[in-house]
């Protein structure tokens, strides 16, 4: 037993609920009396098909996903989706609109142009705002004939999040959203989106599975020229079994979905997440300038809280001492520096309270 609880603030692969890990541990060698580990059973077995089916159904319930949306659990991570959305949905289009708000949407912007006949048009760039605020939807330069509009709901590295999600106007192209780091953290209206995708390792499960939610009518754009492994229509035609899916990550994701339902679903976790974020930002804002976060309050992420002191040396000391106190992996992203506390769904309120307590103590000693 460790003397004090350990809290993991990793940005990803991130903390998973203890209860989920315990269930996985109990079922590790013998899943549900089958005599097999989930890791070692055929993905086409009835047992695994049922795991996949239930994961999908529970995700549908949690996000209230309408029947005209398909759900896939693919491999390749969120990064693979930067290209898959273009290969499948920009086919025959001249332009894709792309909104850049920080690190990940910027990577997406650059990658989307590769092997693409369509122009990837920079519809808005948060650079002019030093990535401390988000360009509002009404400033996006959108062409209604574009294949789609790509953006990220939460910038994991920069700590920015669209508090109010963009809503497509009637003659707007479909919204394609990278929700890797805030999916299932709050209620959303899936009907506002053409495609939602998310790598699992932030808020869903272990790395290896990528959730893609696709509005059915967009599948008409998929061309047979797109190789099967990159082709959404192929994956859907074969019920997610075109090639071997990431069976174990999907199983864990299913346990996380069940855990979320038991917590009261997304509406309940949204309330807890708001409380966690408020406590942490309040600790920063009430520190008299000892801790700094310069992001406009309305654009602050409730998932990734980026902060620092005035001094990189002090930041380093903070990270080291926090680690010794059981508050793990608080160092900021390499290009940003400072600290980053990722407080995804599985981070309990007590973890945030422990961090706030440590911040106050650290400031008393070094402030
Ligand atoms: C982590 C992350 C990615 C990259 O995910 P991979 O699964 O490593 O490809 C993309 N977008 C966002 C918003 C992320 O947080």
């Amino acid at each position: 037993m460790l003397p004090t609880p350990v809290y993991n603030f990793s940005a990803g692969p991130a903390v998973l609920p203890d209860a989920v890990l315990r269930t996985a541990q109990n079922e590790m060698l013998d899943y549900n009396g089958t005599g097999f580990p989930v890791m070692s059973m055929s993905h086409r077995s009835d047992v695994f098909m049922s795991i996949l089916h239930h994961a999908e159904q529970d995700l549908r319930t949690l996000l209230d996903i309408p029947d005209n949306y398909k759900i896939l659990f693919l491999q390749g991570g969120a990064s693979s989706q930067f290209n898959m959305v273009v290969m499948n949905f920009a086919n025959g289009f001249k332009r894709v609109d792309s909104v850049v708000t920080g690190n990940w949407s910027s990577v997406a912007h650059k990658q989307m142009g590769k092997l693409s006949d369509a122009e990837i048009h920079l519809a808005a760039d948060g650079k002019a705002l030093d990535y401390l605020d988000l360009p509002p939807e009404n400033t996006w330069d959108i062409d209604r004939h574009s294949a789609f509009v790509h953006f990220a709901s939460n910038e994991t590295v920069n700590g920015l999040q669209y508090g109010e999600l963009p809503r497509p106007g009637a003659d707007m192209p479909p919204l394609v959203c990278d929700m890797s780091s805030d999916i299932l953290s709050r209620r959303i209206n899936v009907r506002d989106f053409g495609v939602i995708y998310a790598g699992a390792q932030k808020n869903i499960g272990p790395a290896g599975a990528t959730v893609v939610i696709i509005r059915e009518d967009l599948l008409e754009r998929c061309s047979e020229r797109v190789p099967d492994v990159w082709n959404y229509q192929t994956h859907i035609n074969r019920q997610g079994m075109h090639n071997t899916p990431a069976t174990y990550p999907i199983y864990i994701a299913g346990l996380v979905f069940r855990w979320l339902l038991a917590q009261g679903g997304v509406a309940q976790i949204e309330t807890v997440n708001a409380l966690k974020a408020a406590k942490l930002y309040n600790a920063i804002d009430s520190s008299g300038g000892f801790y700094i976060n310069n992001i406009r309050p309305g654009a602050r992420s409730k998932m990734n809280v980026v902060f620092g002191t005035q001094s990189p040396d002090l930041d380093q000391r903070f990270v080291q001492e926090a680690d010794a106190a059981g508050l793990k992996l608080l160092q900021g992203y390499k290009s940003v520096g400072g600290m980053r506390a990722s407080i995804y769904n599985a981070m309990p309120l007590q973890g945030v309270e422990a961090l706030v307590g440590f911040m106050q103590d650290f400031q008393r000693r070094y402030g």
Side-chain angles (χ1 to χ4, degrees):
M1 277 292 281
L2 291 159
T4 45
V6 164
Y7 293 110
N8 174 5
F9 293 92
S10 167
V15 60
L16 288 165
D18 279 346
V20 163
L21 295 176
R22 274 203 199 92
T23 302
Q25 181 180 40
N26 289 335
E27 296 178 339
M28 171 69 83
L29 299 182
D30 175 5
Y31 175 73
N32 213 7
T34 55
F36 282 93
V38 174
M39 275 186 245
S40 311
M41 55 178 69
S42 165
H43 56 295
R44 298 183 194 284
S45 63
D46 289 346
V47 178
F48 184 75
M49 296 285 261
S50 161
I51 290 173
L52 178 64
H53 176 74
H54 281 105
E56 195 183 308
Q57 286 310 310
D58 287 346
L59 181 60
R60 226 175 248 288
T61 305
L62 283 164
L63 287 179
D64 190 21
I65 301 174
D67 289 343
N68 65 324
Y69 284 75
K70 303 285 188 189
I71 300 174
L72 289 171
F73 293 87
L74 300 178
Q75 305 209 40
S79 302
S80 66
Q81 297 310 302
F82 303 159
N83 302 104
M84 274 180 82
V85 290
V86 175
M87 281 193 248
N88 286 272
F89 299 138
N91 182 34
F93 286 80
K94 289 204 181 67
R95 169 167 155 172
V96 167
D97 284 315
S98 159
V99 177
V100 172
T101 50
N103 175 80
W104 282 116
S105 55
S106 170
V107 174
H109 180 79
K110 291 184 195 116
Q111 291 302 316
M112 283 193 295
K114 301 199 176 180
L115 284 181
S116 165
D117 296 330
E119 174 212 356
I120 312 299
H121 173 76
L122 188 60
D125 190 351
K127 197 174 177 184
L129 308 161
D130 291 328
Y131 299 118
L132 296 174
D133 199 353
L134 294 160
E137 186 193 351
N138 60 13
T139 65
W140 296 1
D141 174 34
I142 305 293
D143 179 346
R144 64 191 181 91
H145 300 297
S146 290
F148 55 82
V149 182
H150 180 274
F151 78 107
S153 51
N154 184 67
E155 286 285 1
T156 322
V157 170
N158 309 69
L160 293 157
Q161 183 180 33
Y162 275 100
E164 206 157 307
L165 282 162
R167 304 195 56 190
D171 62 355
M172 274 288 189
L175 286 173
V176 172
C177 185
D178 178 356
M179 277 194 201
S180 293
S181 49
D182 69 351
I183 191 167
L184 291 167
S185 72
R186 56 171 165 178
R187 287 162 298 163
I188 55 167
N189 185 1
V190 172
R191 289 170 186 80
D192 286 342
F193 299 89
V195 181
I196 293 168
Y197 65 85
Q201 70 273 23
K202 301 343 186 326
N203 223 359
I204 293 178
T210 312
V211 169
V212 192
I213 303 166
I214 304 169
R215 204 177 66 207
E216 217 166 42
D217 60 282
L218 290 171
L219 292 165
E220 287 164 15
R221 299 186 190 176
C222 296
S223 155
E224 281 185 19
R225 286 181 54 245
V226 175
D228 283 346
V229 75
W230 304 118
N231 194 313
Y232 292 123
Q233 185 67 67
T234 304
H235 286 286
I236 284 162
N237 290 347
R238 300 183 188 167
Q239 273 107 46
M241 298 287 165
H242 162 64
N243 64 333
T244 317
T247 52
Y248 202 73
I250 291 170
Y251 156 72
I252 300 283
L255 295 182
V256 170
F257 298 155
R258 246 198 279 158
W259 173 81
L260 269 174
L261 287 167
Q263 304 300 299
V266 172
Q268 183 56 31
I269 210 87
E270 179 178 3
T271 307
V272 180
N273 286 335
L275 186 60
K276 281 161 27 187
K279 275 186 191 281
L280 203 39
Y281 284 115
N282 185 48
I284 294 166
D285 294 341
S286 64
S287 71
F290 184 77
Y291 298 111
I292 308 159
N293 169 297
N294 287 326
I295 295 167
R296 186 181 66 81
R300 283 171 161 181
S301 170
K302 292 188 170 71
M303 295 281 100
N304 311 97
V305 179
V306 172
F307 63 104
T309 68
Q310 307 273 6
S311 140
D313 289 344
L314 204 53
D315 290 347
Q316 210 178 346
R317 189 180 288 261
F318 182 101
V319 171
Q320 279 164 5
E321 291 193 12
D323 179 85
L327 306 168
K328 303 288 182 185
L329 298 171
L330 280 161
Q331 64 268 29
Y333 192 75
K334 49 193 187 298
S335 64
V336 177
M339 283 79 82
R340 171 174 53 173
S342 296
I343 51 173
Y344 301 119
N345 288 349
M347 172 59 64
L349 183 60
Q350 296 92 302
V352 171
E353 285 169 345
L355 174 58
V356 167
F358 175 84
M359 287 166 72
Q360 289 163 348
D361 180 58
F362 188 84
Q363 183 175 0
R364 267 193 294 277
R365 288 184 290 117
Y366 296 101

